[in-house]
Amino acid sequence: MNPRISLAGVAKRFGARTVLRDVSLEVAAGESLVIIGGSGTGKSVMLKSILGLLRIDGGDILIDGASVRGLRGGALARHQARFGMLFQGGALFDSLPVWANVAFAVPGRSADRRAAAIDNLARVGLGAEVADLRPAELSGGMQKRVALARAIAVRPAILFFDEPTTGLDPIMADIINSLIRRLVSEDEITAITITHDMTSARKIADRVAMLYQGEIIWQGPVAAIDRSGNPFVDQFVAGRAEGPIAMAVRRA
Amino acid sequence: MTAIVEAVAHALIAIGAVVLGVFGSIGRLAGFAVVALRRMVTPPFYPLRLAEQMLVIGWFSLPVVGLTALFTGSALAQQIFIGGSRFNAASTVPAVTVIGIVRELGPVLGGLMVAGRVASAMAAEIGTMRVTEQIDALATLRTDPFRYLVAPRLLAAVLTLPLLVLVSNALGVMGGWLLATFRLGFNSSAYLATTVRYLKADDIVSSLVKAAVFGFIIALMGCFHGYYSQGGAAGVGRATTNAVVSAFILILLSNLVITVVVFGS
Ligand SMILES: Nc1ncnc2c1ncn2[C@@H]1O[C@H](COP(=O)(O)OP(=O)(O)OP(=O)(O)O)[C@@H](O)[C@H]1O
Ligand SMILES: [Mg+2]
């Protein structure tokens, strides 16, 4: 059986800057993969490449064995309709009220869509009282949760979460982690989550992959993350400033 | 010798890069316009978005376009009176005013005012949506940004600009008539009768064609520059400026072409 998502030798450049050099990765159907890696290593770029929002310069991306490269027009739209994406910055439509954001892709009559929106808001711990507010009237963490509710509202087969718990308090972060875990375990959704939060990674992941300098330098089951035998992973997981991942920061 | 050859080569490369850049932009703009037009005529349609844009472009532009026409019509009548008096042709004021307004100043000034109001707003709104990833989000929410954002704006502008220009023409003529009767001593009903007698269907057709073309240019420039904006707030600012400047230039250029080539004989 084909893996649901498969990346083979994916390369992506912006001008002269190579962001992804040679990314190869597979995600099985119903699996939850967590991507870790330093800031600016191209994690978000990788997700956008899979979605077809960015065009890759080398390699190939397959969804259920079908290539994403060169898709345009209606074919690209059908490809993108299979995904739900929580963008790192939320990307809420600031001209629409919260409920219309959440129900944006939900078909049907206005009243049913509103009910669906309130239902999904409840899943991310938000009450019906925020439904008529504008995104700008919410706190950063609330915006993130509204964006999460919007991403899951149509129950897509594949979900991408770009830093779902950034900016949330530890309790709310745990609620979101459980929600993502439940979506994968019960609804058999395939998920890729980017996170810097190791607590979150341990809770969400079946498997973890680490992106460093444009390549996946380690991947394995979440249980193996503390004995990966990879000094880069060890340094990242432990959050140490000293180690093989050199930070170009001037010491005071 | 080699230094000169090298300098020339560098100059040629630089010129070549500019030419390629210009053609590249024209090609991208043409591609954008073709995609937008094709998606405009195929479903799904967003009638609510269209109505919203017609309101924004048409209704809310009425005051500024109306005042522009009124003032310009009056000033035009005064100028024609002064010029006409120099060779005993002051009686041409009503005829020349109506032709000047309907064929030229109504559509052109109306188009420029709407460009200032609307092309900038479109570029700013769509540009902000681009840099905050809202356009990417649309695509993942089963919505085509061209159909949802671009098509309603293009259609609304092409539909409402002619209506706006009709009003603008009427107010321009009214401005001339007010000035002529209250200041220049023209007989009110004779002025209006002359106006109607010298106005031809061709003048009105030319006016409406120009308006529709200007509407297309305004929305296209606003959407195009917004859609391809990048680099945060500064990038959106640049997109807004470029949208207005390019809309102005293209309106004046296409006005010249339509005036001379299409309605010049
Ligand atoms: N549209 C773009 N144009 C040019 N460069 C880009 C663009 N998008 C991303 N980049 C570059 O690609 C690199 C990777 O960006 P990306 O957003 O994927 O990082 P990330 O791994 O998600 O980091 P973070 O954890 O901070 O979100 C960055 O250095 C960024 O400058
Ligand atoms: Mg990122």
Side-chain angles (χ1 to χ4, degrees), chain A residues 48 53 80-81 83 87 91-94 104-105 150 154, chain B residues 39 129 132-134 136-143 148:
Chain A
K48 286 186 201 163
L53 295 172
Q80 288 169 336
F83 295 85
F87 286 85
L92 293 174
F93 304 125
D94 37 32
F104 195 84
R150 184 178 70 177
V154 285
Chain B
R39 310 253 170 111
M129 293 187 71
T132 56
E133 299 181 321
Q134 292 178 49
D136 289 336
L138 276 179
T140 66
L141 292 165
R142 305 171 184 198
T143 305
Y148 187 79

Side-chain angles (χ1 to χ4, degrees), chain B residues 122-212:
Chain B
M122 286 182 183
E125 187 177 357
I126 296 181
T128 304
M129 293 187 71
R130 164 61 71 198
V131 301
T132 56
E133 299 181 321
Q134 292 178 49
I135 293 184
D136 289 336
L138 276 179
T140 66
L141 292 165
R142 305 171 184 198
T143 305
D144 175 2
F146 273 88
R147 290 196 176 87
Y148 187 79
L149 294 175
V150 181
R153 284 172 169 78
L154 277 178
L155 195 57
V158 171
L159 291 177
T160 50
L161 255 275
L163 298 176
L164 211 49
V165 163
L166 278 183
V167 176
S168 160
N169 289 342
L171 285 170
V173 169
M174 193 175 111
W177 166 77
L178 282 174
L179 189 104
T181 47
F182 285 102
R183 218 182 109 85
L184 306 177
F186 278 78
N187 174 285
S188 167
S189 54
Y191 186 101
L192 290 178
T194 318
T195 298
V196 173
R197 184 148 23 94
Y198 282 96
L199 182 65
K200 299 239 160 59
D202 197 40
D203 302 333
I204 298 174
V205 171
S206 142
S207 194
L208 296 181
V209 168
K210 284 183 176 184

Side-chain angles (χ1 to χ4, degrees), chain A residues 141 145 164-179 197 199-200 203:
Chain A
R145 285 185 282 155
T165 57
T166 307
L168 301 185
D169 66 77
I171 300 170
M172 192 46 72
D174 196 55
I175 293 175
I176 297 304
N177 291 335
S178 311
L179 170 66
D197 171 0
T199 318
S200 171
K203 182 142 186 185

Side-chain angles (χ1 to χ4, degrees), chain A residues 30 123 178-189:
Chain A
R123 300 177 61 163
S178 311
L179 170 66
I180 294 176
R181 189 63 248 175
R182 234 185 7 257
L183 285 167
V184 174
S185 308
E186 292 169 18
D187 299 352
E188 295 181 0
I189 281 166

Side-chain angles (χ1 to χ4, degrees), chain A residues 14-15 17 19-20 37-46 48 54 88 162-163 194 196 211, chain B residues 230:
Chain A
F14 292 103
R17 263 176 60 95
V19 176
L20 302 180
S39 192
T41 48
K43 303 182 298 297
S44 300
V45 166
M46 190 181 113
K48 286 186 201 163
L54 293 174
Q88 188 166 358
D162 198 342
E163 308 198 2
I194 295 172
H196 295 293
L211 188 63
Chain B
Q230 47 179 282

